Amino acid sequence: DAGVIQSPRHEVTEMGQEVTLRCKPISGHNSLFWYRQTMMRGLELLIYFNNNVPIDDSGMPEDRFSAKMPNASFSTLKIQPSEPRDSAVYFCASSSGTGGTEAFFGQGTRLTVV
Amino acid sequence: GESVGLHLPTLSVQEGDNSIINCAYSNSASDYFIWYKQESGKGPQFIIDIRSNMDKRQGQRVTVLLNKTVKHLSLQIAATQPGDSAVYFCAENNGNTGKLIFGQGTTLQVKP
């Protein structure tokens, strides 16, 4: 298996633009997580899905952030409009259960908003 | 509320020595714990896990200890090598909710 695949690896955008981050989880995994990593806050859980349904989005910072999982093999995290403070590395992870199993991480998307 | 915190941000050890990285958690409902290693430019990688019905688990050169009484988790790395230099995160999981929450991370520096 190729593991969790995220795209793009790097994204530079101007403030106010829409940004879409993409994730392909490991085949057969039914839980998907989106994290944001910064030096100040570490790894923050933004949202996670189970069987394509959002279970907990309490970590989504504000309405500018939205996430979807239209099917078991694809998820998106969208920021609209983007702001410089959104600059971070965004990770997607997937696991094979609702809990009690390890999550496998993608390589991350480094987002820079200028 | 839920929180997972690490005691020290940076740990520097001599190559060949043993390393101990500590972690405190506050959610007594957490029943599964994981240690991850993150190298520069990469996503976190699984090292070892432990369930709440255990207090110790060993892997290859790594041991995780869980003390539920004081809500403390530690990762021990034997004979630390330069390749062990990375940031280490503990994470807790509540089996009922499925949430996987990470601590702040400890940077391990191995001196040759």
Side-chain angles (χ1 to χ4, degrees):
Chain A
D1 197 314
V4 176
I5 300 173
Q6 292 186 245
S7 64
R9 287 296 309 277
H10 302 273
E11 176 82 31
V12 180
T13 191
E14 291 186 345
M15 182 174 63
Q17 296 298 305
E18 176 180 295
V19 176
T20 300
L21 311 181
R22 296 173 174 80
C23 175
K24 182 180 187 306
I26 292 173
S27 178
H29 282 189
N30 59 359
S31 291
L32 184 140
F33 306 82
W34 281 101
Y35 289 88
R36 177 173 67 179
Q37 186 173 36
T38 60
M39 290 295 292
M40 293 299 295
R41 294 199 177 93
L43 267 166
E44 301 174 275
L45 177 63
L46 301 178
I47 185 171
Y48 77 96
F49 296 83
N50 184 249
N51 292 325
N52 312 337
V53 176
I55 303 300
D56 189 329
D57 65 354
S58 59
M60 296 286 263
E62 46 197 276
D63 291 345
R64 297 184 298 106
F65 286 69
S66 63
K68 294 182 179 179
M69 192 164 185
N71 56 62
S73 60
F74 184 64
S75 177
T76 60
L77 178 67
K78 186 176 294 186
I79 308 172
Q80 166 64 15
S82 58
E83 296 182 3
R85 61 194 169 113
D86 301 330
S87 298
V89 180
Y90 290 81
F91 287 103
C92 175
S94 70
S95 71
S96 60
T98 54
T101 57
E102 67 184 276
F104 294 82
F105 281 75
Q107 294 282 56
T109 295
R110 179 173 294 279
L111 173 65
T112 303
V113 183
V114 298
Chain B
E2 300 172 358
S3 68
V4 179
L6 291 172
H7 294 310
L8 297 174
T10 302
L11 177 65
S12 184
V13 300
Q14 204 70 37
E15 180 179 357
D17 287 351
N18 297 333
S19 303
I20 300 177
I21 301 172
N22 295 303
C23 175
Y25 67 95
S26 61
N27 187 355
S28 57
S30 293
D31 53 10
Y32 178 61
F33 304 88
I34 312 172
W35 279 100
Y36 282 89
K37 173 185 180 182
Q38 186 177 26
E39 296 174 297
S40 181
K42 297 183 179 179
Q45 288 182 291
F46 171 89
I47 302 174
I48 191 167
D49 59 2
I50 189 167
R51 300 190 186 279
S52 58
N53 61 352
M54 303 171 68
D55 53 20
K56 180 179 181 179
R57 188 155 191 238
Q58 287 185 292
Q60 188 177 17
R61 282 201 307 118
V62 294
T63 301
V64 55
L65 299 178
L66 174 63
N67 185 330
K68 294 183 288 294
T69 303
V70 295
K71 297 189 183 70
H72 185 266
L73 196 67
S74 69
L75 175 70
Q76 300 177 359
I77 304 174
T80 313
Q81 302 169 359
D84 295 328
S85 294
V87 178
Y88 289 81
F89 294 92
C90 64
E92 63 176 310
N93 180 260
N94 183 317
N96 291 327
T97 68
K99 287 182 78 166
L100 185 62
I101 304 297
F102 280 75
Q104 289 185 332
T106 292
T107 299
L108 176 64
Q109 298 174 340
V110 182
K111 296 177 288 186

